[in-house]
Amino acid sequence: MDKIHINNLEIFAKHGVFPEENVLGQKFVISAVLYTDTRKAGMSDHLEDSINYGEVSHFIKQFVEGHTFQLLETVAERLAWEMLLNIKHLQAVRLEIQKPWAPVGLPLDTVSVEIFRKWHSAYLALGSNMGDKEKYLRAGVKGLQNTEGCVVERVSDFITTAPYGGIEQDDFLNGAMKIRTLLTPEELLRRLHEIEQEADRERIVRWGPRTLDLDILLYDDLILDTEELHIPHIEMDKRDFVLRPLCQIAPYACHPVRGLTAVQLLDTIEQN
């Protein structure tokens, strides 16, 4: 990915743990690496095809001057979030925020915080087998559309499938969607649970009836195994009701453990 650098932008702002820092203010020095694709701008020679680093510099200045936070970590996190949400063509950003006058009572050059943040690609599964199933699925899509830091890019058709897990219940309506997100996997999972609860989802019986089921299938090429979250989703490679809608929107999305695309995984199921 190409980079545009903004180095050592000096800003006077009022961030700090001590009350006097919030009143008197002090100097901060900010450097930003803007990750983008400069190919189109390089060929067209049009500024609108790239990122205007002058406008970005003023954006940084206005944000840092217009807010007061105690921690450098918070300044960096909130600034990166706002930049990724609002700056066209920006795919990722690396920020370093230096505090040259840090009140530590010792001689030092500067203290700083550096972070890297980016847009992530995630694939989600949707399912419902209670009430107005299509209404619940569309509510799930809308819930993600209304979530700051999430952009719904593609939604599959909804398909009717037999229930999974051996529990007698109504057929499911299933789908899949692709999103871009600034949320971490854990933050995304919590948001999905909130959307499920808004649809009156109750987690009583495993694989039992539910108004709305939202699962993270893939998140970039991440492999994650914790008590609360497994990415790729466990057994997604064995479930045709997951793979069929996924293949409609992303047939070549690759399972990072199996090393096979969604369409290859579906072909394997159908041949057995």
Side-chain angles (χ1 to χ4, degrees):
M1 200 180 303
D2 304 324
K3 305 174 186 177
I4 296 173
H5 291 259
I6 298 172
N7 293 323
N8 299 326
L9 175 65
E10 295 188 7
I11 297 172
F12 194 88
K14 299 178 179 180
H15 307 288
V17 172
F18 298 109
E20 57 269 24
E21 294 181 289
N22 305 150
V23 175
L24 300 175
Q26 59 195 295
K27 182 171 73 172
F28 296 85
V29 181
I30 300 177
S31 295
V33 182
L34 314 176
Y35 292 80
T36 187
D37 183 354
T38 65
R39 174 68 177 183
K40 185 176 180 181
M43 298 301 293
S44 70
D45 201 26
H46 294 154
L47 182 57
E48 60 268 23
D49 292 331
S50 186
I51 295 175
N52 186 327
Y53 52 78
E55 290 183 355
V56 173
S57 297
H58 284 281
F59 183 97
I60 293 171
K61 182 177 186 293
Q62 290 172 3
F63 181 87
V64 175
E65 288 182 343
H67 297 79
T68 298
F69 302 114
Q70 292 189 20
L71 302 180
L72 285 181
E73 293 90 336
T74 307
V75 181
E77 197 69 54
R78 300 289 181 85
L79 176 58
W81 179 275
E82 292 298 325
M83 291 175 70
L84 287 163
L85 282 180
N86 292 288
I87 297 173
K88 189 178 180 181
H89 305 307
L90 184 62
Q91 299 177 38
V93 62
R94 186 179 302 278
L95 286 175
E96 182 185 12
I97 302 182
Q98 301 179 54
K99 190 174 183 178
W101 303 340
V104 299
L106 292 169
L108 57 76
D109 182 26
T110 186
V111 296
S112 67
V113 168
E114 182 176 345
I115 66 171
F116 175 79
R117 298 293 181 264
K118 61 175 284 189
W119 283 103
H120 302 273
S121 292
Y123 294 95
L124 311 179
L126 308 88
S128 174
N129 76 331
M130 294 178 66
D132 189 335
K133 304 170 190 177
E134 182 172 346
K135 178 181 177 181
Y136 282 125
L137 295 192
R138 296 201 180 282
V141 174
K142 186 176 180 180
L144 267 298
Q145 289 173 331
N146 293 337
T147 299
E148 187 178 53
C150 290
V151 177
V152 176
E153 294 190 327
R154 297 197 68 187
V155 181
S156 73
D157 295 334
F158 300 144
I159 61 172
T160 301
T161 63
Y164 181 90
I167 297 175
E168 186 174 345
Q169 54 186 309
D170 196 8
D171 286 344
F172 273 83
L173 198 62
N174 290 104
M177 63 175 155
K178 179 186 179 183
I179 68 169
R180 284 192 306 136
T181 185
L182 298 177
L183 302 180
T184 67
E186 294 79 9
E187 291 167 344
L188 180 57
L189 179 65
R190 287 195 294 270
R191 179 57 185 142
L192 297 183
H193 286 172
E194 290 173 354
I195 295 171
E196 289 175 343
Q197 290 170 3
E198 291 166 4
D200 300 320
R201 163 73 184 269
E202 293 183 350
R203 296 177 178 274
I204 299 174
V205 180
R206 187 184 186 193
W207 293 326
R210 71 291 306 264
T211 55
L212 179 62
D213 191 21
L214 298 171
D215 291 309
I216 303 173
L217 301 176
L218 301 169
Y219 183 101
D220 293 338
D221 57 357
L222 180 67
I223 299 172
L224 180 67
D225 183 25
T226 68
E227 289 186 6
E228 293 186 349
L229 186 56
H230 308 280
I231 300 176
H233 193 278
I234 291 177
E235 295 190 346
M236 65 166 283
D237 54 321
K238 301 176 183 177
R239 300 178 179 180
D240 66 331
F241 62 88
V242 169
L243 292 172
R244 280 198 283 149
L246 180 60
C247 282
Q248 186 182 100
I249 61 171
Y252 301 112
C254 189
H255 193 291
V257 176
R258 294 286 304 276
L260 299 174
T261 65
V263 70
Q264 288 172 323
L265 293 171
L266 183 59
D267 286 343
T268 299
I269 292 175
E270 293 176 342
Q271 290 171 9
N272 292 337

